[in-house]
Amino acid sequence: MTRKLRRPGYGERVGWAWGIVIAVLYVPFSTLVKIRYRNLEKLPQTGPAIVVVNHVSHVDPFLVAKMVLDGARRPRFLAKDTIFAVPVVGAAMRAMGHIPVKRGSVDARESLAAAVQSLAAGGVIVLHPEGTVTRDPDGWPMTGKTGAARLWTLSPDVPVVPIAQWGVQQQIDLYRKKVKLVPRPRHVLSIGDPIDLSAFRDRAPNAAALHEITEVIMRRLRQDVAELRGVPAPEGKLFRWSRATRKGAG
């Protein structure tokens, strides 16, 4: 079902920038892609949340953002800092509450601090832990980066809410330069119960703990994606991709 929770006078206010994006991007996306939601009511209606999502397509961030907006919340993405350098776009990104991230630098700590501040103010932070569209041969969630785990250790009382998604990549795959809009691509997004990370509350946030937390998050996403696809989740390790893997495959 695709019952929206947002209605006039209800939910977080989105502001002018989101208003433009909704009109320019999300209305056309609703026409081009058949979007279906499951368990939209599981998105916390008040208070902070860390939302983690598997990444299947270059266009799925738009669909995830639309789901969060339809769930009466305002999503705040951690996005590459280069996007914020684009004139007009950068100003709009900041107005929407998104947070620039410069990977592999001290500035990444500043991004986490900004995300923690947003959570403290009751915001919803959305992350794709894989950091890129999955390269798993069968589309399963891959190993993740530790950003979501680091953010949770800094805000351990905030729920980590998983969103599993599947579908649009079968017709829109920019890696393979495939874009097929007829028939309309079908995309399903499903919100799960918060991930139980209580075993890590008393652990020091060292590298080992961060990787273990990330493993728990990604395995949960893989299980939720399996349920969405109606097939058993693969056993064994998560797929690990790197530029060396890509070169080896070539």
Side-chain angles (χ1 to χ4, degrees):
M1 63 185 298
T2 315
R3 181 176 60 85
K4 299 178 183 179
L5 299 182
R6 180 175 295 280
R7 54 185 182 272
Y10 180 77
E12 279 187 278
R13 296 181 62 182
V14 295
W16 66 268
W18 272 115
I20 293 173
V21 169
I22 290 169
V24 173
L25 286 179
Y26 295 159
V27 171
F29 258 105
S30 298
T31 303
L32 294 173
V33 180
K34 185 183 292 184
I35 306 170
R36 293 292 180 267
Y37 303 149
R38 294 184 182 177
N39 308 318
L40 190 58
E41 71 282 354
K42 290 187 178 182
L43 182 68
Q45 290 297 285
T46 59
I50 299 169
V51 173
V52 292
V53 194
N54 66 305
H55 205 352
V56 296
S57 168
H58 290 87
V59 303
D60 71 47
F62 298 108
L63 306 177
V64 172
K66 186 179 186 304
M67 182 186 203
V68 176
L69 287 168
D70 285 341
R73 298 305 303 270
R74 179 161 65 96
R76 296 146 174 95
F77 282 82
L78 270 65
K80 292 181 181 179
D81 65 311
T82 51
I83 300 174
F84 291 78
V86 179
V88 181
V89 173
M93 291 284 286
R94 289 184 175 86
M96 286 186 282
H98 301 314
I99 300 169
V101 177
K102 184 180 288 185
R103 293 178 181 168
S105 73
V106 177
D107 294 335
R109 284 200 289 264
E110 295 181 7
S111 300
L112 277 178
V116 169
Q117 187 176 15
S118 181
L119 290 172
V124 173
I125 298 293
V126 182
L127 303 97
H128 289 85
E130 294 157 282
T132 187
V133 174
T134 183
R135 303 296 183 91
D136 180 276
D138 295 314
W140 295 105
M142 307 186 294
T143 55
K145 301 184 183 299
T146 59
R150 290 179 188 276
L151 183 56
W152 178 79
T153 60
L154 295 170
S155 304
D157 293 324
V158 175
V160 177
V161 179
I163 295 181
Q165 59 176 336
W166 188 258
V168 73
Q169 78 283 354
Q170 296 173 336
Q171 290 179 231
I172 302 177
D173 186 342
L174 299 188
Y175 282 143
R176 296 177 174 81
K177 299 180 180 179
K178 179 175 71 174
V179 177
K180 182 182 178 183
L181 300 179
V182 178
R184 287 170 65 196
R186 183 175 182 273
H187 196 67
V188 183
L189 302 101
S190 178
I191 301 179
D193 293 322
I195 300 173
D196 183 5
L197 298 175
S198 58
F200 300 96
R201 288 188 68 91
D202 298 326
R203 289 274 301 273
N206 53 31
L210 292 173
H211 284 293
E212 288 179 40
I213 294 170
T214 303
E215 183 81 2
V216 170
I217 290 172
M218 298 313 301
R219 285 184 175 275
R220 169 60 184 278
L221 283 173
R222 186 167 72 175
Q223 185 62 47
D224 287 1
V225 170
E227 184 177 350
L228 195 61
R229 294 174 63 176
V231 298
E235 298 181 358
K237 295 181 179 181
L238 294 157
F239 181 78
R240 181 178 297 276
W241 181 87
S242 67
R243 297 191 183 279
T245 303
R246 182 178 66 181
K247 291 177 181 178

